[in-house]
Amino acid sequence: MNGKAGLLRIGFGIASLAAGLPDILTRFRQHFPAVQVSMRDMSTPNQIEALEQGDIDVGFVRLPVERPSLVTVPVLEERLVAAIPQGMPYRKGLSGLRNEPFVVISRSVSASFVDHLVQTCKAAGFSPRIVQEANELFTVLNLVRGGVGVSLVPRSANLMHVPNVRLLDTGLPEAKWKIGLAWRKRDQSDPLVRNFISLVRQPRSAAQAGVPK
C-alpha cells in the first residue's frame, strides 16, 4: 500500500483546534483525498492510552510524553489565559486574581493541565484557591460566568463563545505549552501514518496561522 487510501484515526484536544489542527487536516485532505479521517476528541492521557492500545493511529498531545512505545514531535503551541466574569477588573494581570476563588478542570480529567495551571499561578506569585472542579471546559466557563470563581483555560476556549466571560492574556511565558504529534514506534513504517507525519512536519506557515508567538 502507498498510504493514499484507507482509514486514519486521529486523537485531538480543543487546544489543537485553535493552534492549527484544522489547517493541517485541510492540507492532508488536499494531498490524500481518498483517505478517510476519523477524529476523536480526547484528553492527552486518554490519547496516550488509545495509542498504546491501537485504538487511534496518531494523536495531538500535550508535551512532554515519556512512553517508550511512542514517538513525539512538537508541532503546535498553546497558552493559558485568564477567564473572568464580565466586569471584573484585570488591571494587574494574573497576579491581581490572587484573592479570587478558582474553578478548574478536575485532576481526574487531566492532572497535567491542573499542574500547569498551578505552576502558572505560582509564576504570578500565588497559589490558586481552588473551590470547584468540573469535568468539562464548557462547565468551567459557565461557572466563571455564574460568579463561582475565575480560572485559567486554553486560549482555544474562545471557540466556545460563552457569553459574559472575558479571556485575557497572562503575559507569562510559563502559560505556554507545546502540542506534539504522537504515534507508535511500530507504526513508523505504516504508509498512511508516515504520510500524515511527513505532511505535519513540513514547513507550517499555513498551519501556524493564529499560533501565539
Side-chain angles (χ1 to χ4, degrees):
M1 295 179 63
N2 58 10
K4 294 184 177 180
L7 171 65
L8 183 68
R9 301 164 300 172
I10 302 173
F12 73 99
I14 187 173
S16 51
L17 284 178
L21 177 56
D23 292 316
I24 289 172
L25 293 176
T26 297
R27 288 191 296 142
F28 184 74
R29 289 191 171 106
Q30 289 172 346
H31 284 80
F32 304 100
V35 174
Q36 180 183 352
V37 175
S38 172
M39 304 291 296
R40 293 180 62 180
D41 186 355
M42 312 168 73
S43 67
T44 288
N46 288 342
Q47 286 189 64
I48 292 171
E49 181 179 355
L51 281 166
E52 292 186 325
Q53 293 181 353
D55 293 331
I56 60 175
D57 302 305
V58 295
F60 287 85
V61 299
R62 170 190 286 266
L63 297 180
V65 170
E66 297 179 359
R67 294 295 178 93
S69 63
L70 302 181
V71 182
T72 62
V73 59
V75 292
L76 303 169
E77 186 178 87
E78 175 62 300
R79 65 174 180 255
L80 293 174
V81 295
I84 64 174
Q86 190 74 36
M88 175 178 285
Y90 192 69
R91 299 184 185 91
K92 298 180 180 179
L94 183 57
S95 63
L97 302 180
R98 64 174 64 246
N99 295 321
E100 299 294 335
F102 271 72
V103 181
V104 304
I105 285 288
S106 171
R107 180 169 288 275
S108 63
V109 173
S110 179
S112 61
F113 183 88
V114 178
D115 288 343
H116 188 194
L117 180 150
V118 171
Q119 290 165 6
T120 302
C121 288
K122 287 184 176 179
F126 70 98
S127 294
R129 178 167 59 90
I130 298 173
V131 300
Q132 181 69 50
E133 295 184 352
N135 289 330
E136 295 182 355
L137 183 57
F138 186 72
T139 303
V140 168
L141 292 172
N142 275 284
L143 289 171
V144 171
R145 176 188 180 188
V148 176
V150 299
S151 191
L152 286 177
V153 300
R155 182 181 62 95
S156 47
N158 59 15
L159 296 173
M160 294 184 173
H161 300 294
V162 175
N164 299 319
V165 175
R166 299 169 66 202
L167 301 182
L168 302 165
D169 199 352
T170 67
L172 297 170
E174 290 84 357
K176 296 181 181 181
W177 78 89
K178 295 290 186 180
I179 298 169
L181 181 65
W183 65 93
R184 290 179 296 277
K185 286 183 178 178
R186 67 173 185 264
D187 287 342
Q188 292 189 103
S189 59
D190 183 310
L192 197 56
V193 173
R194 189 172 64 242
N195 284 345
F196 187 76
I197 295 168
S198 177
L199 183 139
V200 171
R201 298 184 71 175
Q202 287 174 3
R204 300 182 300 276
S205 58
Q208 286 183 322
V211 176
K213 301 299 183 184

